[in-house]
Amino acid sequence: MSFHVVKNSSRCLREYIDFLYLRGYNIFNYGMKRGIYMYRDKTKIIQIGDRVIGGGNPILIQSMTNVPTEDVKACVEQILRLEAAGCEIIRCTVPNEEAAKALKEIKRQIHIPLVADIHFDYKMAIAAIENGADKIRINPGNIGGREKLEAVVAAAKEKNIPIRVGVNSGSLEKELVEKYNGVTAKGIVESALDKVHMIEECGYDNMVISIKSSDVLMCVEAHKMLAGLTPYPLHVGITESGTVLSGNIKSSVGLGIILYEGIGDTIRVSLTGDPVEEIKSAKLILKTLGLRKGGIEVVSCPTCGRTKINLIELANQVENMVADIPLDIKVAVMGCAVNGPGEAKEADIGIAGGVKEGLLIKKGEIIKKVPENELLSVLREELINWKE
């Protein structure tokens, strides 16, 4: 067993590491550079279907279906929509045998790795593996005891299927809540490491860890703490984040901080609504942090009294219109012809509204005037025929 003191760690974290070491955990040494945790590049590489995560590989975007898994037609239709939006790993719940059997046909019709979400029944975990799941998500603490966990691990080991160990702050063990006087980041991390330890004791280390909380700052703290204590890749997200509006804000803040710290190998933006919105948000978060390139970035001004065009509608139309254009450029949508060219100079191309007309702008230079009702089509034509 090895123990590495985490560099530049706080006294609180050092004490916590000492505590875990005394309980028999292997402690992972991540080091620091300019205050940013260099964790992502050093995690264990895990294969999920035909994709790999960890070890500095690109952060993959996940989502979860919200239709019954046993309804193969509805499930496949939703997954194909998610694929088109940019989803790279999909998770389906497997609450019964019918859902487990459906995985085989679902997998045949989709093109991304399929993860089976298991809650309490260990038989469903084994059935999901037998029906082609590329990964399973379980909480080893509620799967039914050591013997049943060993059966699940044996099935996963036989097909070399990774296990995602999931711990949620809302279901933290009573003894950990009492130990830390409430639900805390330390309790979440200790719970996760306990579950990881259980699977390691079964002789398996093909794992991904997920620790989630609806409390953004607690979630951030827990991820910072966990990152130095394990070599396994982390799936990150803010659970129960809410509707498209509130959920996006909470997820952007939480995931933004966690990802900027160099933590996280896959992400999900959990929203109450159409899961396609989760993919759009995840892509924007990664692009904003410089962790993903590709796709057109649309910027637009906030409108003011000078605006003589329906800029809100136009900006939304542009955002939808560019979704299928494979360019890595910035497009500006500005509300007036006075400041539009100057404000759009950092964009590759843009349009600015006027009175019943608008301007087509490239790199801050006005190219031509365009009738208002032709702005969208002219912009699309320019993008379709784009040349650097």
Side-chain angles (χ1 to χ4, degrees), residues 272-321:
T272 303
D274 186 343
V276 168
E277 296 298 324
E278 299 184 353
I279 308 306
K280 294 178 182 178
S281 301
K283 288 167 70 174
L284 281 172
I285 290 171
L286 291 175
K287 285 178 67 176
T288 301
L289 291 167
L291 295 170
R292 178 166 296 213
K293 297 188 180 298
I296 293 175
E297 178 185 358
V298 177
V299 296
S300 57
C301 68
T303 76
C304 68
R306 290 189 299 270
T307 306
K308 304 299 182 184
I309 195 171
N310 189 342
L311 184 69
I312 297 172
E313 181 181 352
L314 181 60
N316 283 310
Q317 288 175 333
V318 171
E319 196 164 64
N320 291 328
M321 182 262 289

Side-chain angles (χ1 to χ4, degrees), residues 365-379:
E365 298 293 327
I366 297 173
I367 304 302
K368 60 182 175 181
K369 288 186 178 181
V370 180
E372 180 180 338
N373 62 357
E374 295 180 18
L375 273 173
L376 200 64
S377 60
V378 168
L379 177 61

Side-chain angles (χ1 to χ4, degrees), residues 125-126 129 136 149-163 198-206:
I126 296 173
I129 293 170
I136 60 169
L149 176 61
E150 287 178 347
V152 172
V153 172
K157 187 184 297 186
E158 182 180 349
K159 295 185 181 292
N160 198 29
I161 296 299
I163 296 173
M198 290 168 67
I199 294 176
E200 287 177 333
E201 287 180 336
C202 294
Y204 203 51
D205 65 354
N206 192 358

Side-chain angles (χ1 to χ4, degrees), residues 321 324-325 375-385:
M321 182 262 289
D324 65 342
I325 301 177
L375 273 173
L376 200 64
S377 60
V378 168
L379 177 61
R380 183 171 178 83
E381 184 69 20
E382 290 285 334
L383 294 172
I384 293 296
N385 299 294

Side-chain angles (χ1 to χ4, degrees), residues 302-358:
T303 76
C304 68
R306 290 189 299 270
T307 306
K308 304 299 182 184
I309 195 171
N310 189 342
L311 184 69
I312 297 172
E313 181 181 352
L314 181 60
N316 283 310
Q317 288 175 333
V318 171
E319 196 164 64
N320 291 328
M321 182 262 289
V322 303
D324 65 342
I325 301 177
L327 293 174
D328 186 14
I329 61 173
K330 183 180 289 187
V331 174
V333 184
M334 297 298 158
C336 74
V338 178
N339 292 331
E343 292 173 344
K345 66 183 178 182
E346 293 183 1
D348 297 281
I349 189 170
I351 51 178
V355 180
K356 296 184 179 180
E357 64 182 11

